[in-house]
Amino acid sequence: MKISVIGGGNGGTAFTGYLIHHGHQVSMYTRNPEKVAFFNREPDIYLSGVVNASVKAGLVTHDLGQALAGSELIMIASSADAHRHLARQMAPYLKDGQVVVLNPGRTFGSYEFANILAESGCTADVTIGETDTLIFTCRNHEINHPIIYSIKKDVKFACLKPERTQRTVELLQQLFPTVQAVPSILYTGLTNIGMIFHPTPILFNFTRIESGQTFLFYKEAITPMVASFISHIDEERVAVARRMGVEVETAMQWLLRVYGASGDTLYDAIQNNPAYNDVYAPKSTDTRYVWEDVPTGLVPIASVGDLIDVDTPYIDTAINLACMLYNVDFKGTGRQITSLDGIHGEPVLLRQ
Amino acid sequence: MKISVIGGGNGGTAFTGYLIHHGHQVSMYTRNPEKVAFFNREPDIYLSGVVNASVKAGLVTHDLGQALAGSELIMIASSADAHRHLARQMAPYLKDGQVVVLNPGRTFGSYEFANILAESGCTADVTIGETDTLIFTCRNHEINHPIIYSIKKDVKFACLKPERTQRTVELLQQLFPTVQAVPSILYTGLTNIGMIFHPTPILFNFTRIESGQTFLFYKEAITPMVASFISHIDEERVAVARRMGVEVETAMQWLLRVYGASGDTLYDAIQNNPAYNDVYAPKSTDTRYVWEDVPTGLVPIASVGDLIDVDTPYIDTAINLACMLYNVDFKGTGRQITSLDGIHGEPVLLRQ
């Protein structure tokens, strides 16, 4: 299969190496010219983890037109706050029949992506879909040494247009058999757990990060108060999902299922989860735990809450705090959902 | 003069001892029965600081009716979040001609006090006024050893009914010559600097306090972000005051004037103020920096902003945070100003 991978970070390099290793023709786009130069000079990608092999990178470019030309599948492996920008840049180059997959979509990434394409004048009949999580657990050891620790077992996938989900998931399963179809992007977007656990501990430990303190992200930054605040944010997400007709796991249930954590409260479950023992807080307030998770997680949930009359005071307060601490209008730049069309699988309306 | 002092804490004991020393007949009310028993057993009050003397306490009681009977002047020296409760309790006992002074009123204490008296059925013609700060800098060394470090030089005073300010300030000046009349409670209430400096560092260092960390309140809790947030809160206060026709000092100007601090930013001025060197943050989140300063400072400013169409997004966010972290409806329990009558010196309308 001819595939474009958009993004040259942890996910993008892992996807590129893995897919080449499995016989596909892959072009990789990165916005970083030094990375392009590096791979043009040293095209070897050394895979380890679930695959131990070295492969030759194909086309590595910062020219999106080149990167996208002729691909059946376009795997976007950037952080979700780059989706808007990528959609705008890709709009002129996309062709009928191409499939764009956001890895992951965070909350309603496909909706945003389709809206921006339409706004940007793209009329190609492109299929847009999203996973609920990055398919790999992976990290780059060095720029060309991706380590794929695991291929996740339980990856959900939906297309913005649900009638296209089945045939698209069949295409993806040729590459990643663990990907499973779910009925709509409500199921991928409303189970985004990152926005639940990431921004709040940063916002409430901002002074510690500013002061250069070293502390554990889950075990120390999440004090009883932060855990309580997170629980309220999570209740609001679950309430929005329920009103949309979707039963989602609570963060607590997720902790119990994924990690086998135990405890009566979210605070206890986090404290009792050994997987969090060594996870340190970011060394800087300049972290994607805010830059990514606020505009592509909290903002769209709050804006859907607005549309369907579910109050989200804790999420609103977290967003306001982020706007004030970062001096950024995350409400304006984030995923404001202005219509439920598209999200329910109806034709996407151009945002106003 | 026959005077009632309401409150047996730092301020109340200092007032009581000082006024007795100056020949007045003072009854002291404290809600604490152990304190009543203590003074009944050991009536000596040992003053030090600006006065070095011992005096015999007069009536010390937890019976408000007894404490108020026959007094010309009632000096309230409780924390401001107790004013509502005190007004309700005092309503049945107040008599025509009595003068009630809130030390200090925080923001619009006189307005609240008068409203609660009216709500509680008090029809006595009582004069109500407020200072902008406690007249003494003082601390109790022990329960009966008040130290008066200084009598403040620049204490502002206004009555809720401005036409009564002059004669009331003349009464007060017999006791405390440094008290000065200002045109209205806008001048005492909108210069409340405690609400600017106190709650925000608590809210943004909540996890450090929860974790039992020891750190300096001004020098460490006020990081650049906290200082920036405080500056925004202060701008909102100054904007509300300006729309009400009152030019107030900014927090920065206040720091420069009161402490001779220097610096280009609020953060720098705080860092450069030696008076803040040894001031530690509270050891517990259960602090009057929130319990007092949110409902009697931030809430009334925000509610006046609402009435006169001055946006106060930073103050609103701080109030929301306090409500969420303390699980208390500070907006409901705090000083919601529902009418500008009274604050401008017009007859006080009963709150709805």
Side-chain angles (χ1 to χ4, degrees), chain A residues 80-89 112-113 116 119-120 332-336 351:
Chain A
D81 50 320
H83 290 166
R84 291 173 73 88
H85 174 73
L86 282 170
R88 211 171 283 119
Q89 301 300 109
E112 178 185 60
F113 204 90
I116 302 278
E119 265 182 20
S120 306
T333 62
R335 291 177 182 163
Q336 281 286 351
R351 81 179 52 213

Side-chain angles (χ1 to χ4, degrees), chain A residues 205 207-208 210 213 223 225, chain B residues 205 207 210 213 223 225:
Chain A
N205 289 279
T207 64
R208 290 164 106 169
E210 272 187 303
Q213 293 188 17
T223 60
M225 175 279 280
Chain B
N205 289 279
T207 65
E210 270 188 305
Q213 292 186 17
T223 59
M225 174 280 281

Side-chain angles (χ1 to χ4, degrees), chain A residues 203-208 210-211 213 220-221 223-226 228-229 232 236 313-315 317 320-321 323-325 327, chain B residues 203-208 210-211 213 220-221 223-226 228-229 232 236 313-315 317 320-321 323-325 327:
Chain A
L203 300 173
F204 283 114
N205 289 279
F206 207 90
T207 64
R208 290 164 106 169
E210 272 187 303
S211 309
Q213 293 188 17
E220 293 183 311
T223 60
M225 175 279 280
V226 173
S228 163
F229 205 96
H232 283 289
E236 292 174 0
Y314 283 81
I315 292 177
T317 296
N320 283 340
L321 265 184
C323 292
M324 289 170 172
L325 301 190
N327 203 20
Chain B
L203 300 174
F204 283 116
N205 289 279
F206 206 90
T207 65
R208 289 164 106 168
E210 270 188 305
S211 308
Q213 292 186 17
E220 294 182 311
T223 59
M225 174 280 281
V226 173
S228 162
F229 205 98
H232 284 287
E236 292 174 0
Y314 283 81
I315 292 177
T317 295
N320 283 340
L321 264 184
C323 293
M324 288 170 174
L325 301 191
N327 203 20

Side-chain angles (χ1 to χ4, degrees), chain B residues 57-290:
Chain B
L59 174 67
V60 177
T61 176
H62 49 88
D63 178 327
L64 263 175
Q66 270 198 306
L68 300 177
S71 285
E72 185 176 353
L73 174 65
I74 298 159
M75 295 288 272
I76 297 190
S78 69
S79 72
D81 50 319
H83 290 167
R84 290 173 74 87
H85 174 73
L86 283 170
R88 209 170 285 121
Q89 301 300 107
M90 287 165 66
Y93 306 114
L94 291 172
K95 303 288 181 210
D96 284 355
Q98 287 187 313
V99 172
V100 175
V101 175
L102 306 174
N103 295 279
R106 296 296 175 189
T107 302
F108 306 142
S110 300
Y111 171 91
E112 179 185 59
F113 204 90
N115 270 302
I116 301 277
L117 285 186
E119 265 182 20
S120 307
C122 175
T123 55
D125 180 14
V126 179
T127 294
I128 300 168
E130 60 183 49
T131 61
D132 69 328
T133 183
L134 190 65
I135 293 169
F136 295 149
T137 307
C138 60
R139 199 65 93 208
N140 277 4
H141 186 53
E142 293 165 38
I143 186 172
N144 56 351
H145 282 64
I147 311 170
I148 302 172
Y149 298 105
S150 72
I151 300 175
K152 291 184 192 154
K153 292 217 162 39
D154 206 21
V155 177
K156 299 188 187 96
F157 176 81
C159 285
L160 179 61
K161 297 180 177 173
E163 67 275 17
R164 297 189 176 183
T165 297
Q166 191 49 42
R167 71 167 189 242
T168 310
V169 92
E170 283 164 15
L171 177 79
L172 283 172
Q173 284 172 344
Q174 295 174 36
L175 314 172
F176 310 105
T178 60
V179 174
Q180 302 295 329
V182 289
S184 81
I185 63 165
L186 293 176
Y187 291 79
T188 48
L190 294 172
T191 54
N192 170 3
I193 211 80
M195 69 165 174
I196 301 300
F197 283 119
H198 293 163
T200 304
I202 300 295
L203 300 174
F204 283 116
N205 289 279
F206 206 90
T207 65
R208 289 164 106 168
I209 301 174
E210 270 188 305
S211 308
Q213 292 186 17
T214 297
F215 55 104
L216 295 168
F217 185 72
Y218 291 94
K219 295 284 173 105
E220 294 182 311
I222 301 184
T223 59
M225 174 280 281
V226 173
S228 162
F229 205 98
I230 288 175
S231 296
H232 284 287
I233 284 182
D234 195 51
E235 281 167 20
E236 292 174 0
R237 173 184 66 95
V238 171
V240 166
R242 187 165 294 146
R243 186 73 68 88
M244 298 288 283
V246 178
E247 280 296 321
V248 296
E249 272 181 327
T250 64
M252 182 76 171
Q253 290 165 334
W254 181 87
L255 274 179
L256 304 187
R257 176 176 62 83
V258 172
Y259 292 108
S262 64
D264 290 335
T265 64
L266 189 63
Y267 178 76
D268 291 341
I270 290 167
Q271 291 297 318
N272 294 336
N273 181 5
Y276 288 158
N277 278 356
D278 301 320
V279 183
Y280 284 87
K283 296 245 168 262
S284 158
T285 56
D286 185 13
T287 165
R288 73 187 176 84
Y289 282 5
V290 173

